Amino acid sequence: MLNKKISSGIVGAGIAGIATAIRLANRGHQVTVFESNAYPGGKLSEILQDGFRFDAGPSLFTMPVLVEDLFTLCGEDASEHFSYKKLSVNCEYFYEDGTRIHGYADPKAFAEELALKTSVSEHSIIEGLNKSALLYSLLSGLFMEKSLHKATTFFNKDAFRAYRNLHKMGFFSSMHQANTARFKDEKVVQLFNRFATYNGSNPYQAPATLQIIPHLEFNIGAFFPTEGMYSITQSLYELAKRQGVTFHFNSKVDHILIEDELAAGLVIDQKKEYFDHIVSNMDMVNTYKKLLPIKYTPKKLLNQEKSSSALIFYWGIKKEFPELDLHNIFFSKDYKQEFDHMFSKGDIYEDPTVYINITAKEKPSDAPAGCENWFVMINVPNNQGQDWDEFIKQARRNILEKLSRLLQQPIESLIITENILEPRSIEAKTSSALGALYGNSSNNKYAAFLRHANFSSRIKNLYFCGGSVHPGGGIPLSILSAKIVADVMKD
């Protein structure tokens, strides 16, 4: 008699769910993924409209090695299925006084540019990036690649090295305080404060530990998948299928089946499907609220402050702007006010920082000839029942006024097609609680320790992956959450 394969059911085909499916299938599990949408990828999806293609969600690609590792794990050459290039300019930064800073990918060139355009020295920039690299070397093995909820994580050489350098990790000052002390130039401080938004946090509250983020972009590098960000989803989805993973789309999970404190299966369309293991790639808060009995609800975790959300306008623009690049930032005049409005007042500051992603700069087929596909995003509060229709109307007006002023060109008349994504639709499409993009915020020094574990301590055989749990949000950390799930799961 043949041995029965271990079966794993996964809720959600976001990038973490797909990565988890690949790892478990490669280990010999029979893996089935249930996705409520008609497509894989979750936030990492795309929009096709009137001849334009837009990457719908994450637009910055760092740590491509994590994608390549999944192909290597399966004995495949990643380059045969997925290609990307390293950027020479990570971002263009625009300020109200007309200053424009080229965010060169090369740290020395970047330091020279900042020294030329601001009052900082090249040395202070290089020193800051070296500090970011040190933080990464101390924390990546401990906080990013292992479960913080297993004792063995805290009793190994990586952990003891981190303990010896605890005073260097920035737990006890805010990101803004650390950046101000180092750079002493408002423009440079604002540029480095921006990295807090990479996980939906407030640089005036989040710990200086988040200074780890610039290392990923400047010391390791920022990249662009040659077929667009959605090709990350597509290539991993195809890899998962080659590993034998079964996907069911338009399949909304009703609830997780619990029997004798054990996750025994899933209920889909009132039909029971039994599995040996259950993995939820659904937002942690909505997993508990919608899929699990109320007696298991971890109230303190669920009630923590959530991250920011986003308001995105996808605009087809009937003109090309040579002064713009793939990634562009138009800074607010008053960054502190912008974050106060977002996190304290729950509304949108009248002068928001505007990010524009234009993939047609690297992939011309994403827009018709002579046109550009603008992904125009501002950070906004998560959904607490605000009047979003009015917010969107006002924000659109303010964004257009700002861009028209700084680019010295009326923008609204150039828009030939438009789509909008905002906190309500983000939650509807991705089950992200309150439309928060990164789960809980990192606005206190204990935030890294307060994210939900990658497994349930109360329900056996139930696991969690994705941006709302450890180690955090964004493509790299979501992929790493899949590795942690596979490492802690017992067959």
Side-chain angles (χ1 to χ4, degrees):
M1 180 177 171
L2 293 174
N3 290 330
K4 179 180 175 291
K5 269 192 172 185
I6 295 169
S7 61
S8 292
I10 298 179
V11 183
I15 200 69
I18 296 171
T20 303
I22 290 167
R23 289 188 173 276
L24 296 183
N26 180 259
R27 204 155 91 187
H29 290 209
Q30 183 175 317
V31 183
T32 307
V33 182
F34 299 91
E35 169 58 51
S36 61
N37 289 310
Y39 52 85
K43 299 182 185 76
L44 193 54
S45 57
E46 68 177 359
I47 295 171
L48 304 174
Q49 184 168 307
D50 298 330
F52 293 85
R53 192 198 73 85
F54 303 90
D55 284 313
S59 56
L60 178 68
F61 185 38
T62 57
M63 301 186 74
V65 65
L66 297 178
V67 175
E68 293 175 326
D69 284 348
L70 292 168
F71 286 93
T72 302
L73 176 71
C74 299
E76 295 190 15
D77 183 348
S79 65
E80 294 180 2
H81 305 280
F82 176 68
S83 61
Y84 60 90
K85 60 173 285 190
K86 186 173 183 179
L87 301 179
S88 58
V89 176
N90 291 345
C91 189
E92 295 287 346
Y93 299 96
F94 297 82
Y95 296 82
E96 277 290 339
D97 66 359
T99 301
R100 177 182 173 187
I101 291 172
H102 305 291
Y104 293 115
D106 176 72
K108 187 173 187 306
F110 181 50
E112 289 173 353
E113 171 76 356
L114 285 174
L116 179 67
K117 303 283 181 68
T118 71
S119 63
V120 298
S121 67
E122 291 180 36
H123 174 74
S124 67
I125 299 300
I126 295 298
E127 192 178 59
L129 293 177
N130 287 341
K131 173 64 181 294
S132 183
L134 174 65
L135 283 173
Y136 183 82
S137 71
L138 292 173
L139 297 174
S140 61
L142 185 63
F143 285 91
M144 293 168 59
E145 298 172 17
K146 294 183 176 71
S147 170
L148 287 185
H149 303 82
K150 295 286 187 181
T152 52
T153 298
F154 298 94
F155 295 96
N156 57 60
K157 63 179 183 180
D158 288 338
F160 290 118
R161 179 170 175 251
Y163 301 152
R164 289 195 298 272
N165 291 276
L166 198 63
H167 60 290
K168 299 178 181 178
M169 293 186 188
F171 286 114
F172 306 108
S173 61
S174 74
M175 197 174 188
H176 176 72
Q177 288 169 334
N179 285 332
T180 300
R182 182 178 300 281
F183 300 120
K184 301 179 176 63
D185 181 286
E186 287 185 9
K187 289 186 176 67
V188 180
V189 170
Q190 190 171 26
L191 192 157
F192 279 89
N193 276 355
R194 185 179 78 88
F195 288 102
T197 67
Y198 282 32
N199 71 357
S201 299
N202 181 348
Y204 300 91
Q205 294 179 316
T209 317
L210 291 188
Q211 288 180 309
I212 193 174
I213 299 173
H215 172 70
L216 306 182
E217 189 167 318
F218 287 100
N219 295 328
I220 297 177
F223 303 82
F224 179 74
T226 54
E227 295 303 313
M229 294 294 287
Y230 190 53
S231 67
I232 301 172
T233 291
Q234 291 172 311
S235 64
L236 293 182
Y237 170 59
E238 294 298 332
L239 174 61
K241 290 196 295 182
R242 290 195 297 276
Q243 289 293 299
V245 177
T246 300
F247 288 85
H248 294 289
F249 297 102
N250 297 308
S251 296
K252 185 177 180 181
V253 173
D254 299 324
H255 61 265
I256 296 170
L257 189 62
I258 307 297
E259 296 179 354
D260 298 324
E261 309 295 305
L262 178 90
L266 300 171
V267 178
I268 304 102
D269 293 331
Q270 299 182 334
K271 292 174 62 177
K272 295 179 181 179
E273 297 260 2
Y274 284 90
F275 297 96
D276 297 306
H277 300 285
I278 299 297
V279 183
S280 179
N281 181 208
M282 189 177 181
D283 181 277
M284 175 269 296
V285 172
N286 280 334
T287 297
Y288 280 102
K289 288 186 174 180
K290 298 182 179 182
L291 303 185
L292 289 167
I294 194 167
K295 71 174 183 175
Y296 297 109
T297 301
K299 292 181 180 178
K300 285 186 178 179
L301 264 179
L302 268 58
N303 290 332
Q304 284 177 28
E305 180 187 24
K306 300 297 177 285
S307 79
S308 59
S309 186
L311 169 59
I312 306 171
F313 296 95
Y314 306 94
W315 287 337
I317 300 290
K318 59 177 180 181
K319 179 179 168 57
E320 293 179 301
F321 285 77
E323 64 268 46
L324 299 180
D325 208 325
L326 174 65
H327 302 293
N328 310 272
I329 287 287
F330 295 80
F331 277 120
S332 167
K333 291 190 292 289
D334 191 332
Y335 221 27
K336 179 82 164 57
Q337 277 286 340
E338 182 176 2
F339 284 95
D340 283 347
H341 275 262
M342 197 184 319
F343 286 99
S344 298
K345 300 178 181 179
D347 63 15
I348 303 173
Y349 186 45
E350 62 186 13
D351 176 36
T353 295
V354 181
Y355 165 71
I356 304 179
N357 173 243
I358 310 172
T359 59
K361 295 291 186 181
E362 298 289 341
K363 185 173 176 278
S365 62
D366 281 355
C371 299
E372 292 180 344
N373 61 331
W374 285 18
F375 166 117
V376 181
M377 186 193 88
I378 61 172
N379 296 299
V380 301
N382 55 54
N383 180 26
Q384 301 287 340
Q386 301 95 319
D387 185 349
W388 284 105
D389 294 333
E390 184 59 30
F391 277 7
I392 292 166
K393 188 188 306 179
Q394 291 177 2
R396 186 181 189 276
R397 186 164 54 245
N398 290 337
I399 290 168
L400 285 168
E401 190 278 328
K402 183 185 186 77
L403 295 179
S404 298
R405 183 178 68 254
L406 293 177
L407 292 172
Q408 300 181 351
Q409 169 106 220
I411 300 300
E412 186 166 23
S413 61
L414 300 176
I415 300 171
I416 57 177
T417 191
E418 178 179 73
N419 207 320
I420 300 173
L421 188 67
E422 39 88 6
R424 295 170 302 182
S425 52
I426 288 171
E427 178 161 24
K429 290 181 178 182
T430 68
S431 291
S432 300
L434 308 181
L437 292 179
Y438 305 96
N440 292 341
S441 78
S442 296
N443 288 341
N444 67 70
K445 58 179 174 286
Y446 304 111
F449 301 96
L450 295 175
R451 297 191 81 85
H452 194 286
N454 301 99
F455 59 93
S456 171
S457 60
R458 297 182 62 190
I459 306 171
K460 190 176 178 184
N461 294 346
L462 175 61
Y463 302 86
F464 298 84
C465 66
S468 68
V469 297
H470 180 71
I475 296 170
L477 297 187
S478 290
I479 293 176
L480 284 171
S481 76
K483 182 179 185 301
I484 295 171
V485 166
D487 287 346
V488 300
M489 183 181 288
K490 299 287 191 292
D491 288 343

